[in-house]
Amino acid sequence: MSARALDVEKIQDSTGNLYESIVIMGKRSRQISAREKMELDEKLRYFEGFEEEDEFSFNEEQERISKEYERRPHPVVRSVEEFLDSKVAYRYPDNQ
């Protein structure tokens, strides 16, 4: 994956503060990562408890599932794209 330059002004436009925008993208990235890990664990949990005689075919299926998740764009890349496309909702906590 190659590095690409991002327009800092465009990132800052949504919140008015570059650092707030970066925090929002970071939190979104962690959400995406946690959701995908949970999905992957759920899919791989299916293979627990089978007999050893079927182990080879199950290992191939587990590998296929794992590689499918590896081919997906990194959560940071997706969170930046979502933020720049205004697909991320965020709110500030009430100051009380």
Side-chain angles (χ1 to χ4, degrees), residues 45-51:
R45 196 172 308 128
Y46 168 79
F47 298 101
E48 292 176 1
F50 283 100
E51 298 294 323

Side-chain angles (χ1 to χ4, degrees), residues 3-91:
R4 67 174 197 183
L6 296 173
D7 184 5
V8 177
E9 297 296 323
K10 189 174 180 184
I11 292 172
Q12 183 175 333
D13 285 346
S14 295
T15 62
N17 186 320
L18 177 62
Y19 300 104
E20 287 180 14
S21 298
I22 291 171
V23 168
I24 292 167
M25 289 185 285
K27 287 183 178 187
R28 178 63 184 139
S29 175
R30 286 189 292 279
Q31 286 175 343
I32 292 169
S33 180
R35 185 188 70 224
E36 284 188 350
K37 178 165 178 21
M38 199 168 59
E39 288 174 2
L40 178 61
D41 288 346
E42 186 177 310
K43 286 184 179 182
L44 294 178
R45 196 172 308 128
Y46 168 79
F47 298 101
E48 292 176 1
F50 283 100
E51 298 294 323
E52 287 186 21
E53 60 195 40
D54 297 330
E55 188 173 334
F56 183 73
S57 63
F58 285 136
N59 284 343
E60 288 179 349
E61 184 65 18
Q62 288 173 319
E63 184 177 338
R64 185 191 64 75
I65 290 170
S66 295
K67 285 185 178 183
E68 174 188 327
Y69 277 87
E70 289 175 7
R71 282 192 290 273
R72 292 181 179 182
H74 196 275
V76 172
V77 173
R78 294 199 333 243
S79 70
V80 170
E81 289 174 355
E82 287 179 6
F83 185 81
L84 293 176
D85 292 340
S86 300
K87 294 180 180 177
V88 177
Y90 59 92
R91 59 188 164 85

